[in-house]
Amino acid sequence: GAGVSQSPSNKVTEKGKDVELRCDPISGHTALYWYRQSLGQGLEFLIYFQGNSAPDKSGLPSDRFSAERTGGSVSTLTIQRTQQEDSAVYLCASSLARLGQYFGPGTRLTVL
Amino acid sequence: QKEVEQDPGPLSVPEGAIVSLNCTYSNSAFQYFMWYRQYSRKGPELLMYTYSSGNKEDGRFTAQVDKSSKYISLFIRDSQPSDSATYLCAMSAFWGAGANNLFFGTGTRLTVIP
């Protein structure tokens, strides 16, 4: 079966531009997570969706970051006015009620 | 102090060696412990999970939890070059999807040399 997919796989952008990252979770998975992974920093939690609602946005690093999920499926993470410190790999994961989260391959974002 | 501490390595071992990967944690409420394997330019994949203290074995992999010491380990027997990856520990106090309830270590990069 299909796993979690993310697009684009790589994104290079200029400082100050907006970017949109997409996540397609495993079909039927109600929970969806976004993480950021920087070199040597481990996984940084950004936001969690249960269905279309986001009960926990506590990890979003600034108001330049936002995310939405529609139809209980696809999610988009938007970063406005990108900064160089936003450069990282952005990972999406999905799960059912069980704790095991299934990760996508990530989007590698480079802000020049 | 971070919730979860993990030595980032890198760790290099010869093929066939026994590998020991470890994490320590500070939150005594953690009950569920996971190990993820992440190959280069891929997302993490769940390798094993355990509940509370004790051992769990799956093929060449053994996960061990010592709650009294707040210390977990992953042992890899007869290590293979294909085991070369970054290994992340993760843990939670709760079972079930929800919020920011999964805490990850920074990962240990392992290289198995043929």
Side-chain angles (χ1 to χ4, degrees), chain A residues 10 31 33 35 37 40-43 45 48 50 55-56 58 91 95-106 108, chain B residues 2 32 34 36 38 40-46 49 88 91-92 94-102 104-107:
Chain A
N10 285 283
Y33 304 77
Y35 293 89
Q37 187 175 37
Q41 297 298 311
L43 285 169
F45 169 80
Y48 153 69
Q50 180 61 43
D56 189 344
S58 63
L91 289 162
S95 72
L96 287 170
R98 298 173 62 85
L99 194 56
Q101 296 182 20
Y102 295 85
F103 284 83
R108 186 174 298 271
Chain B
K2 288 184 180 178
Y32 300 93
M34 285 135 280
Y36 284 81
Q38 185 175 21
S40 181
R41 295 187 175 265
K42 301 287 187 183
E45 59 176 321
L46 182 62
Y49 68 90
L88 299 99
M91 46 198 80
S92 174
F94 308 103
W95 179 257
N100 181 20
N101 65 5
L102 195 58
F104 284 87
T106 54

Side-chain angles (χ1 to χ4, degrees), chain A residues 4 17 20 22 33 37 46 48-50 52-53 61 65 84-85 97 108 110 112:
Chain A
V4 178
K17 295 284 178 78
E20 280 190 356
R22 177 188 167 105
Y33 304 77
Q37 187 175 37
L46 298 178
Y48 153 69
F49 287 91
Q50 180 61 43
N52 288 338
S53 63
F65 287 72
Q84 288 182 331
E85 61 263 28
R108 186 174 298 271
T110 303
L112 301 176

